[in-house]
Amino acid sequence: MDQDSHCTAERELLEAASRISTFSTTSPSDEEQNQPNAEISCQVKKENPEKDDLQDSNASRSPNSLMTTKELQEYWRNEKRQCRQVKLLFEIPSTRIVEHHLSKYVMYKIIILQTGSFDSNKSVVERRYSDFEKLHRNLLEEFSEEMEDVTFPKKTLTGNFTEEIINERKLAFKDYLRLLYSMKYIRRSKQFIDFLTRPELREAYGCLRGGQYTKALEILSEVVGLQKRLTRGNPVSIVPTLCAIVVCHKDLENPTSAFEYGEKALARLHVHTSHRYYIPLLETMIALAYELGKDFLSLQEKLEEWKAKKDPVRVFTLKELAVREYVQ
């Protein structure tokens, strides 16, 4: 390769990195409002890996101008990973018919997959027709304008358990969830998130209250991953679930795991010190840190600092707060 073409390639790489740098400063809300531009920014073509250690003297005004070609390539790869838009896909691969006393209904297996990242985890929940119907009714009350053109599969007087009707509803519910998720305000709504998480959370907290910590932990560990995906713009919302996991690990005498999840919860509350879980979590973390031989003085200082600013009030323990969740 001659010198002119080599320099031209270097300039193209610098320009690509500069474009990605500009894209990465866009706020999350801007990304959602400008998805076509985001996709274009993510489609920067790969450069030849054989170009290794040259700098572009003509790009001296660029903040990336002091990088070597190899460093720029690594920078480009990292930024490309970050600019992938995270989406959820909904699949309904199977169903099962449930007969319970005098009732009979179809349970639809919903698989929620995440795209746009390297996370290969998936979440699986089951819902029946009446669950979908309740979700639709609640969304119509809250988002009448957004739901104006959203169709919902109607009930039939006969044939609800035939293979034909079940398969039609599988496809209809899949499209229904996909459409709901495509609308920003609906996918962030309490109604939509509760539809996908609340039954499992109610079961998990019921197990916790009954002292079935292993079973509760199993369910909570599954649902917290889905909660993270659904509430990416509101990380504080999963604090109760993280704290319930702390309680389960602590009562199962797994202090290391309890402390690990406690740190995740505290990280989400560092600017929300008035949150009802903040002080009970701090107190639990101090006890765990002391037990594990970790630094508990910094946590103790935060607790004392909070007490100095606030009027003394009765504070529940972390476990007392957890057992009060989903009692109705």
Side-chain angles (χ1 to χ4, degrees), residues 4 12 14 109 117 135 153 156 169 182 187 204 227 252 261:
D4 290 341
E12 290 177 356
L14 285 165
K109 182 179 181 180
S117 77
L135 168 65
T156 59
R169 286 183 175 173
S182 71
R187 71 169 173 263
Q227 279 186 301
L252 288 170
Y261 278 93

Side-chain angles (χ1 to χ4, degrees), residues 86-93 109-115 122-125 127 132 135 170-183 186-188 192-193 195-197 226 229-230:
V86 175
K87 295 182 180 179
L88 295 183
L89 298 178
F90 299 88
E91 299 289 342
I92 304 181
K109 182 179 181 180
I110 306 170
I111 297 180
I112 303 102
L113 300 168
Q114 179 173 309
T115 65
K122 64 182 180 181
S123 299
V124 181
V125 298
R127 299 293 181 266
F132 281 95
L135 168 65
K170 279 169 55 179
L171 295 175
F173 284 142
K174 173 186 173 181
D175 291 339
Y176 178 73
L177 291 173
R178 177 190 57 79
L179 182 57
L180 294 183
Y181 185 77
S182 71
M183 294 183 277
I186 289 181
R187 71 169 173 263
R188 293 179 177 178
F192 185 72
I193 294 171
F195 168 77
L196 292 169
T197 61
L226 179 55
R229 295 172 176 84
L230 292 169

Side-chain angles (χ1 to χ4, degrees), residues 49-61:
E50 294 180 358
K51 303 168 189 173
D52 205 9
D53 292 316
L54 293 177
Q55 297 181 1
D56 188 355
S57 59
N58 294 328
S60 58
R61 288 177 293 180

Side-chain angles (χ1 to χ4, degrees), residues 20 73-83:
I20 296 172
Q73 288 172 340
E74 182 61 28
Y75 174 84
W76 173 82
R77 282 191 290 267
N78 290 335
E79 290 296 324
K80 186 175 181 180
R81 292 189 192 106
Q82 293 179 15
C83 76

Side-chain angles (χ1 to χ4, degrees), residues 249-315:
H249 276 302
K250 189 171 184 295
D251 280 22
L252 288 170
E253 299 183 356
N254 299 325
T256 301
S257 296
F259 191 84
E260 176 188 344
Y261 278 93
E263 285 185 315
K264 294 177 181 179
L266 271 183
R268 288 165 167 79
L269 295 179
H270 72 284
V271 293
H272 301 278
T273 57
S274 60
H275 195 281
R276 71 187 190 282
Y277 271 88
Y278 181 69
I279 293 306
L281 179 59
L282 261 184
E283 292 175 338
T284 300
M285 290 295 285
I286 290 170
L288 287 169
Y290 183 81
E291 180 181 353
L292 294 169
K294 295 179 178 290
D295 172 30
F296 64 90
L297 293 178
S298 58
L299 296 171
Q300 187 70 46
E301 288 175 1
K302 290 181 180 179
L303 179 61
E304 296 301 327
E305 180 182 349
W306 186 92
K307 288 182 176 179
K309 293 180 180 179
K310 304 287 184 179
D311 294 330
V313 293
R314 183 175 184 271
V315 177

Side-chain angles (χ1 to χ4, degrees), residues 203-216:
E203 181 183 2
Y205 279 96
C207 292
L208 191 156
R209 285 189 290 273
Q212 302 176 48
Y213 301 115
T214 300
K215 179 64 175 176

